Amino acid sequence: MQPGCFPPPVVQMAQFQDVSKQSDLHPKPAGLVLQYGTAGFRTNAKLLDHIMFRMGLLATLRSKKTKATIGVMVTASHNPEEDNGVKLVDPMGEMVTLTWEGYATQLANAEQEDLLAALKDIIEKEAINMSQEADVFIGKDTRSSSASLSKAVLDGVSALGGHNKDYGLVTTPQLHYMVCCQNTQGKYGEATVEGYYKKFCQAFIQLTKNASNCTDDQKHLSVDGANGIGALKLRELESHLKKELHISLFNDGSTGKLNHQCGADFVKVQQNPPTGMKVNSGERCCSFDGDADRIVYYYTDSEGQFHLLDGDKIATLISTFLKELLTQAGLDLEIAVVQTAYANGSSTNYLEDTMKVILRCTKTGVKHLHHAAQEFDIGVYFEANGHGTVLFSKAAEEKVQQLAEDSSGERKRAALLLQNTINVINQTVGDAISDMLLIEAILAIKGMTIQQWDAIYEDLPNRQLKVKVSDRRVIDTADAERRAVSPTGLQEAIDGLVKKYGRARSFVRPSGTEDVVRVYAEADTQESADALAHEVSLAVYRLAGGVGGEPKPSH
Ligand code: 16G
Ligand code: MG
């Protein structure tokens, strides 16, 4: 057939017969409605078989449409073990577009007998050439449900005649990396797990070779693997590090339960060390989340006090390092930091007033930060929860490379460091392993302890709470979620409460992953932050249709 021509209807019918037959093996529970949320579908694993099959279909269509390889990751990240989820990865390793998120929801919610019509609707709207070849990469996390659910994705791909490559157990960022490598014909790296280790570890070793004063003590890092896939992959990676980093791995999945009282989300929200980990006073520790796309650092001091170094502190460390290198290299590149409303006020002030970098604030969710970061030569983006990475424009990468070739002395040294920094970063998405290597390299090069890093600025005490309401969609926000525009009176109530406390700030937003409204508050003392969060929770409860008992003070 000629490229660009539609196949004769008979071919389409045959393809759809296969879809019909296979779909009967993955039936949708009648009446079940699920939404492609901030990071894909995510709910109890028992409800997801038909979703997985249908996402296999959709990924195949997306591949035909883009004429590129598409990724499907089966994971529910930091959610409990009983949950699972799925997200689609676009050709350059980024999140799937908004329009296709909409198709995902349509396809997921079509009743069994309406599936073919829903499928044909997408094919027509997108004018998809069904004779185009399709390729889908699939990965899964360590949940017990992931094996059969990823099998359902494969069924969906083959029902539409797509080719698949099943990577089995990989972290979410590893799958993003594979998709990008494949679609750049290997320019981004080799599309294998081995290729991933080689690329990032080689860059790490190149970087740390400049840190000649780094002692064995400073090379030690304790990692909480959240009992998830990140732990397995870190074990595989270790041999590639050539002893330049000594990792003590805890919560490696051999005994503990996934994300249970451990992992980056637990540590960030509870502001406590994870269970299952030996935290020696003063020692550098970090936690991954369940699919290893988030990382937070921490230590306890000699008084047993816990100190968290979250995404904001990470963004500050990385952007400071990059800015210094740019100055040393004499390169005039624009560097920006992208945050969300959850960024600690102290970090925002420091970046703006002391570092004087360009700052942007976007809505919660990686895709929003990622898009904003793409607008600059160098865009450092991090959510406070530890999800983030750095994006370099093509022009910026070329300038760095040119300088590394043409210069000498200090400028060359800085350019080479920048080049290896680019190579140690997974630019497709936030990646706990790659972020960890970058942070470890920066600390080694700067000869900086975690305490010195922590002292760059002092976090404002803060508190996050959730409130149950009958319909969280009654809350509408503006200004990157920093202001509530509905229900009437809520923002005024928050403004009134905030005025009572020193250096205070608070906002509320409907969660994109849970049926709750989230409340954030910060102030000059922990007592004030706790009290403000509680009072704002009460305002939400009263003005936005709270259900169950009134929120109680948390501390
Ligand atoms: C998802 C998002 C994360 C965001 C979180 C917010 C991705 C890959 N992940 O985990 O970025 O911070 O949702 O959850 O986009 P919430 O809407 O429930 O507060
Ligand atoms: Mg995650």
Side-chain angles (χ1 to χ4, degrees), residues 109-360:
N109 294 326
E111 293 306 333
Q112 199 63 15
E113 60 280 13
D114 303 328
L115 178 62
L116 290 192
L119 207 56
K120 284 180 185 166
D121 187 45
I122 300 169
I123 294 169
E124 272 165 28
K125 273 195 189 128
E126 291 290 325
I128 294 170
N129 174 0
M130 291 303 286
S131 65
Q132 173 70 41
E133 298 280 317
D135 293 282
V136 178
F137 283 0
I138 296 158
K140 60 169 184 275
D141 72 12
T142 54
R143 283 158 215 273
S144 53
S145 59
S146 290
S148 72
L149 290 176
S150 72
K151 172 78 182 38
V153 176
L154 292 172
D155 285 351
V157 175
S158 61
L160 273 180
H163 309 289
N164 72 72
K165 182 159 180 179
D166 185 2
Y167 280 92
L169 291 168
V170 282
T171 68
T172 296
Q174 283 179 330
L175 189 77
H176 284 253
Y177 162 88
M178 303 301 172
V179 171
C180 180
C181 289
Q182 183 68 14
N183 290 317
T184 55
Q185 286 76 41
K187 282 201 195 77
Y188 195 63
E190 192 191 306
T192 60
V193 177
E194 204 52 28
Y196 171 97
Y197 297 141
K198 262 198 233 147
K199 172 171 173 159
F200 296 118
C201 291
Q202 266 171 19
F204 174 77
I205 288 165
Q206 287 299 317
L207 275 173
T208 48
K209 138 179 129 182
N210 294 285
S212 45
N213 299 330
C214 194
T215 63
D216 272 3
D217 250 14
Q218 287 159 340
K219 284 184 189 170
H220 180 260
L221 173 69
S222 294
V223 183
D224 155 29
N227 291 313
I229 181 67
L232 298 189
K233 296 296 149 181
L234 202 54
R235 280 252 191 277
E236 290 177 9
L237 168 121
E238 256 185 312
S239 64
H240 296 262
L241 289 172
K242 309 252 163 48
K243 303 210 165 41
E244 283 308 309
L245 180 63
H246 307 167
I247 294 172
S248 298
L249 180 60
F250 299 87
N251 296 325
D252 65 356
S254 53
T255 51
K257 212 169 145 187
L258 176 69
N259 297 327
H260 182 65
Q261 302 198 322
C262 61
D265 197 60
F266 172 87
V267 171
K268 166 73 182 159
V269 175
Q270 302 301 321
Q271 305 190 21
N272 264 316
T275 54
M277 183 168 187
K278 191 158 179 276
V279 181
N280 293 327
S281 151
E283 272 185 19
R284 201 162 70 244
C285 307
C286 68
S287 283
F288 293 3
D289 76 334
D291 63 340
D293 63 357
R294 289 191 198 177
I295 186 168
V296 293
Y297 271 71
Y298 44 91
Y299 68 96
T300 52
D301 62 25
S302 51
E303 268 116 62
Q305 169 114 27
F306 177 74
H307 297 259
L308 178 71
L309 291 91
D310 61 4
D312 304 334
K313 292 253 171 177
I314 295 173
T316 307
L317 180 74
I318 295 174
S319 51
T320 309
F321 177 69
L322 288 172
K323 215 174 160 204
E324 285 166 2
L325 286 184
L326 289 179
T327 310
Q328 288 162 18
L331 271 176
D332 183 21
L333 294 174
E334 194 178 49
I335 174 163
V337 176
V338 184
Q339 306 184 310
T340 70
Y342 288 106
N344 195 280
S346 288
S347 76
T348 311
N349 289 342
Y350 180 81
L351 288 164
E352 211 155 41
D353 304 340
T354 309
M355 288 271 305
K356 301 199 188 308
V357 292
I358 306 166
L359 259 191
R360 289 283 180 276

Side-chain angles (χ1 to χ4, degrees), residues 13-26:
M13 282 319 293
Q15 278 168 337
F16 287 147
Q17 270 164 18
D18 221 14
V19 172
S20 275
K21 230 171 42 202
Q22 285 285 325
S23 166
D24 289 343
L25 303 174
H26 302 284

Side-chain angles (χ1 to χ4, degrees), residues 2-49:
Q2 295 297 309
C5 287
F6 275 87
V10 60
V11 176
Q12 269 198 30
M13 282 319 293
Q15 278 168 337
F16 287 147
Q17 270 164 18
D18 221 14
V19 172
S20 275
K21 230 171 42 202
Q22 285 285 325
S23 166
D24 289 343
L25 303 174
H26 302 284
K28 171 184 180 293
L32 177 67
V33 176
L34 295 170
Q35 192 84 26
Y36 194 98
T38 322
F41 293 100
R42 209 179 279 184
T43 186
N44 189 288
K46 294 200 180 91
L47 301 174
L48 284 170
D49 184 66

Side-chain angles (χ1 to χ4, degrees), residues 282-492:
E283 272 185 19
R284 201 162 70 244
C285 307
C286 68
S287 283
F288 293 3
D289 76 334
D291 63 340
D293 63 357
R294 289 191 198 177
I295 186 168
V296 293
Y297 271 71
Y298 44 91
Y299 68 96
T300 52
D301 62 25
S302 51
E303 268 116 62
Q305 169 114 27
F306 177 74
H307 297 259
L308 178 71
L309 291 91
D310 61 4
D312 304 334
K313 292 253 171 177
I314 295 173
T316 307
L317 180 74
I318 295 174
S319 51
T320 309
F321 177 69
L322 288 172
K323 215 174 160 204
E324 285 166 2
L325 286 184
L326 289 179
T327 310
Q328 288 162 18
L331 271 176
D332 183 21
L333 294 174
E334 194 178 49
I335 174 163
V337 176
V338 184
Q339 306 184 310
T340 70
Y342 288 106
N344 195 280
S346 288
S347 76
T348 311
N349 289 342
Y350 180 81
L351 288 164
E352 211 155 41
D353 304 340
T354 309
M355 288 271 305
K356 301 199 188 308
V357 292
I358 306 166
L359 259 191
R360 289 283 180 276
C361 183
T362 71
K363 283 160 74 170
T364 300
V366 172
K367 60 187 172 213
H368 302 297
L369 291 105
H370 195 92
H371 284 146
Q374 277 171 331
E375 283 169 28
F376 302 92
D377 293 329
I378 303 178
V380 180
Y381 75 81
F382 268 88
E383 290 190 307
N385 63 26
H387 187 118
T389 187
V390 187
L391 305 184
F392 295 85
S393 72
K394 202 158 174 290
E397 285 194 8
E398 280 166 7
K399 277 190 187 164
V400 169
Q401 186 172 351
Q402 194 74 50
L403 191 70
E405 284 164 16
D406 298 348
S407 59
S408 58
E410 198 205 0
R411 288 189 74 193
K412 189 180 184 83
R413 181 186 166 272
L416 287 172
L417 279 173
L418 274 168
Q419 212 170 26
N420 285 313
T421 303
I422 293 171
N423 288 333
V424 87
I425 294 169
N426 184 347
Q427 293 191 50
T428 63
V429 78
D431 181 337
I433 290 179
S434 141
D435 288 340
M436 175 193 82
L437 293 177
L438 174 61
I439 294 164
E440 290 301 309
I442 296 176
L443 294 178
I445 292 166
K446 289 171 85 77
M448 199 182 215
T449 63
I450 189 164
Q451 290 76 13
Q452 289 167 329
W453 169 21
D454 193 26
I456 293 179
Y457 66 82
E458 195 182 340
D459 268 329
L460 279 171
N462 56 86
R463 179 65 59 200
Q464 286 187 49
L465 297 175
K466 5 182 182 180
V467 185
K468 280 212 171 287
V469 297
S470 58
D471 181 2
R472 68 193 199 277
R473 288 171 303 180
V474 301
I475 298 202
D476 200 6
T477 64
D479 191 18
E481 301 177 324
R482 289 174 289 194
R483 296 192 66 79
V485 289
S486 75
T488 322
L490 180 57
Q491 188 57 48
E492 290 71 17

